[in-house]
Amino acid sequence: MTVYGDLIGQDRAIGVLRRAASAAAEAVAGGRGAGMTHAWLFTGPPGSGRSTAAKAFAAALLCPEQGCGHCDACHQVEVGSHPDVTFVRPEGLSYGVRQTRELVLKAAGAPTLGRWRVVLFEDADRVTEQAANALLKAIEEPPPRTVWLLCAPSADDMIITIRSRCRVVTLGTPSTEAVANMLATRDGVPHDVALDAARAAQGDVGRARRLALDEETRRRRAEVLSIPRSLTGVAECVTAAERLVKTSTEDADAATTALNEVETAELRRVYGEGSTGKGLNKGLVRGGAGALKELETMQKSRATRIKRDSLDLALLELMAFYRDVLAVQFGASVELANEDRRHEVEAVARASSPEDTLRRTDAIMKCRERLAANVHPQIAVEAMTLALRSPGVVHRG
């Protein structure tokens, strides 16, 4: 299997990357490093494989065979240990100018082992305005052997001066059948279960795997999808909002607690806490307290981001449910994301009008906008659940 084996349903993008890796190898062999495109922007919806494609391309640039998938270079890129590949994964809500300047300095160095120094920047859309300007300067005048691989949901998420200097690789949403086949062949998931998971994930390969393999993920999805039929009164709307926000908080805590403990312990060790021997402190050495405070700030920002991402995923689940309701109301011949819950979708469709459904989808989108604008989650979600209930639509079917 080549390095592109994990890209599902992305044949067109794979073809572009194969040709580019081959051209890059020829340019190096001919002493023409300057002929390589030094800035790439990978775009696509969640789960389409933006970072997967970027990592595969990084391996192909460093592999003697342009991405064989089994040599030392390919393996090192895959596990994140190749000295010529820098992985950037913004942990918090944004990526600041100081971090970006440090990254630019690091990227300016010559390759250690391979033919290129590669910077793979996931969630590049999280850079602040000042950070984007610092990044722009590096992309405009890159060292001859440095390649920037930026990942973002869409080209419009990057400032125009950056995206105009990048070659854009657009990934599409994989088909349901392609994702289901992947789950069945690679993970041994029964085909009917794989199909339901692929439909529910709407092309998000990672989400589909979690739905197919993790009982807790399926339970949380079921809890979210129970909300439309539970909104029978104001008290039920408030309760549903509390439950949704609480679940998102618990998800964030579960995802960050263990990681925070490891990071904090490692930082304390680096700054000498607990060290023994003559002249050594048992507490943090000078500078350690400041570093620890900076780490705690980053961890809080990361927890906030994960909480928002978890809540946004729940809102997208609700959006998909009402999209299915609208499809049934109009008799559209489209695949339902919630085919496994068709009876619930049809019950809500019978008890409401298309106008009601459109109003509800608007309420969900408004909630997402409010959350992005830092409105308190409980207030934003309560307003949404109340809007999903009114005007007087009965959901018990």
Side-chain angles (χ1 to χ4, degrees), residues 322-357:
Y322 284 113
R323 190 216 67 161
D324 287 350
V325 170
L326 194 64
V328 169
Q329 288 171 330
F330 280 115
S333 299
V334 297
E335 181 179 72
L336 299 186
N338 297 281
E339 182 63 44
D340 56 329
R341 292 173 170 268
R342 176 176 280 273
H343 66 288
E344 296 176 27
V345 171
E346 291 177 341
V348 175
R350 288 193 301 269
S352 59
S353 67
E355 290 78 13
D356 291 330
T357 305

Side-chain angles (χ1 to χ4, degrees), residues 48-118:
S48 59
R50 298 186 300 260
S51 59
T52 301
K55 181 187 283 189
F57 187 46
L61 290 175
L62 297 168
C63 172
E65 299 179 31
Q66 290 88 60
C68 66
H70 53 75
C71 69
D72 288 344
C74 288
H75 177 70
Q76 288 174 335
V77 174
E78 174 61 28
V79 301
S81 64
H82 198 292
D84 292 328
V85 182
T86 300
F87 293 92
V88 184
R89 300 180 178 92
E91 297 283 5
L93 298 173
S94 62
Y95 196 79
V97 64
R98 181 181 63 79
Q99 295 165 298
T100 303
R101 286 171 178 162
E102 291 174 355
L103 177 64
V104 169
L105 287 174
K106 185 176 182 180
T112 303
L113 297 177
R115 297 169 292 188
W116 305 96
R117 176 170 289 280
V118 181

Side-chain angles (χ1 to χ4, degrees), residues 363-374:
I364 296 170
M365 291 304 298
K366 185 66 176 177
C367 182
R368 297 183 71 202
E369 291 171 5
R370 287 169 174 163
L371 291 171
N374 292 320

Side-chain angles (χ1 to χ4, degrees), residues 45 63 80-81 83 89 159 175 184 188 208 215 222 225 238 279 306 319 363 374:
C63 172
S81 64
R89 300 180 178 92
I159 62 172
S175 68
E215 180 62 35
L225 295 178
V238 173
I306 293 175
M319 180 67 77
N374 292 320

